Amino acid sequence: MPRFTRKYLCGGLAGFCALAAAQLASPTARAADYDVGPMHVAQPWARATPKGASSAAGYLAVTNSGTTPDRLTCVSSDAAAQCQIHTMSLEGGVMKMRPVEGGLEIPPGGTVTLKPGGLHVMLVNLKHPLEPGKVVALTLKFEKAGTLEVELPIAAIGAPAPGVASGGGTMMMDSGHGGMMQMDKR
Ligand SMILES: [Cu+2]
């Protein structure tokens, strides 16, 4: 009776294997979740930045278990002069991002996920680079539920989202907000 090796299992269950590999390679220890009123913030994390970077991105998932919509803004961070929530969209072949006006709506019963390639917390005018293994603190504010202090563990530069297999195309677009990205200052 041959033993079932990891390799054997991977061949037979490719999807399962990819998931297992991603978990093994998870760049951060499991982050804490946070609650304020009916709002739940899960899996917050940020990406490390290269020396000299002026901005950084953070990610998290927000679930609203209440019965009314709420609006999320980022008030401040210990690592940057300004904290904003940005959307990203492809316009004329260029990835553009701009601040969400009036806060990010979290619908009742819904989850809004900020992740590489899409919505993100933008730390503008960094005071220092984000170093892997450390944390960056944010003060979030829900219009109705109130304020919430969260800590984002910092993953390596180019790290995929926790639980997501690496090698995805979206990683490119968000790496350090350089090059192919334009910030729309309106
Ligand atoms: Cu941004």
Side-chain angles (χ1 to χ4, degrees):
M1 185 78 184
R3 288 183 59 192
F4 278 68
T5 63
R6 181 173 295 278
K7 205 174 172 186
Y8 181 88
L9 279 169
C10 283
L13 294 163
F16 169 80
C17 180
L19 185 65
Q23 281 167 350
L24 285 174
S26 183
T28 55
R30 192 179 148 66
D33 288 2
Y34 300 86
D35 292 282
V36 59
M39 312 305 294
H40 181 75
V41 173
Q43 243 172 19
W45 66 289
R47 255 197 203 138
T49 57
K51 220 175 181 174
S54 62
S55 63
Y59 310 100
L60 42 86
V62 189
T63 300
N64 180 357
S65 62
T67 52
T68 54
D70 206 339
R71 290 186 168 274
L72 172 67
T73 52
C74 187
V75 179
S76 63
S77 167
D78 63 347
Q82 254 190 302
C83 180
Q84 304 173 343
I85 294 180
H86 281 186
T87 58
M88 270 171 68
S89 58
L90 199 59
E91 288 171 30
V94 177
M95 193 54 80
K96 285 196 169 189
M97 56 183 186
R98 57 171 61 96
V100 174
E101 301 289 340
L104 177 66
E105 182 168 314
I106 317 292
T111 297
V112 176
T113 304
L114 284 65
K115 58 175 189 280
L119 288 163
H120 54 276
V121 173
M122 177 108 265
L123 302 177
V124 184
N125 295 329
L126 281 181
K127 296 171 183 168
H128 53 77
L130 301 192
E131 293 177 47
K134 298 199 171 175
V135 297
V136 51
L138 304 181
T139 303
L140 302 175
K141 183 169 186 286
F142 294 98
E143 199 175 82
K144 293 172 187 156
T147 58
L148 186 62
E149 310 275 339
V150 301
E151 284 192 340
L152 283 57
I154 301 169
I157 293 172
V164 174
S166 58
T170 55
M171 284 166 48
M172 294 280 298
M173 299 191 295
D174 212 31
S175 54
H177 287 90
M180 50 202 289
M181 202 111 47
Q182 289 181 0
M183 200 188 299
D184 201 9
K185 294 192 199 256
R186 280 196 305 183

